[in-house]
Amino acid sequence: MILIACNAQKAEEAELAAAPAAAATERADWQDLTIELDALSEEPTFIDYTGGTVPMQLIAVRDGDGARLALNTCQSCGGSPYAWFEYLGDGVLECQNCGLKFPLSTVGTRAANGCNPVTVTEFTVENGVVTVPGALLERESGRFETWKVFD
């Protein structure tokens, strides 16, 4: 799996260099997440990301020439420290909070409602690179504040 955080543009770097250290640190914490499309397959890839002090995880699946993405936390069980999914194989994911099993084919789709990972639709795929905006990750980080997967 290849993960790369995007570099800020030259103008932003100059602006941050002139700003106090705290402001530079705060802004740098929520960088865009980039994923090489070729690193994805029809099996789920679990991608760790930390912005600020919040560890997060996404589920990425190759879908033809693109990708389907979801936050690895449950829509229904959200807020629970155990509201994440593990891949059981054979196209099945399981919620670690309630035990519900569901097909991998629903990850990242608009039809994924209820006990499913939170669908991410705000991303781009260009030149073989999937980019998830840091602003989206920051906005969704509250869903992971009580998450215990990394403990």
Side-chain angles (χ1 to χ4, degrees), residues 81-117:
Y82 305 100
W84 75 82
F85 298 88
E86 289 190 8
Y87 186 56
L88 302 179
D90 295 326
V92 177
L93 287 164
E94 179 181 46
C95 177
Q96 297 305 291
N97 188 62
C98 70
L100 183 72
K101 295 177 178 84
F102 70 97
L104 180 62
S105 61
T106 63
V107 168
T109 67
R110 294 187 188 273
N113 292 313
C115 190
N116 278 282

Side-chain angles (χ1 to χ4, degrees), residues 3-100:
L3 304 177
I4 306 166
C6 289
N7 291 330
Q9 295 177 356
K10 298 285 183 200
E12 288 178 85
E13 289 174 1
E15 179 183 323
L16 290 175
T25 301
E26 180 180 326
R27 183 165 180 129
D29 285 346
W30 295 100
Q31 294 183 11
D32 292 352
L33 172 67
T34 60
I35 308 157
E36 294 291 330
L37 190 58
D38 287 342
L40 302 180
S41 72
E42 293 177 1
E43 299 290 307
T45 301
F46 295 88
I47 301 165
D48 296 335
Y49 176 89
T50 299
T53 60
V54 181
M56 304 169 68
Q57 194 173 72
L58 285 83
I59 303 171
V61 179
R62 182 81 182 246
D63 186 20
D65 292 332
R68 291 183 284 117
L69 302 175
L71 301 174
N72 189 9
T73 192
C74 182
Q75 294 176 43
S76 296
C77 300
S80 166
Y82 305 100
W84 75 82
F85 298 88
E86 289 190 8
Y87 186 56
L88 302 179
D90 295 326
V92 177
L93 287 164
E94 179 181 46
C95 177
Q96 297 305 291
N97 188 62
C98 70
L100 183 72

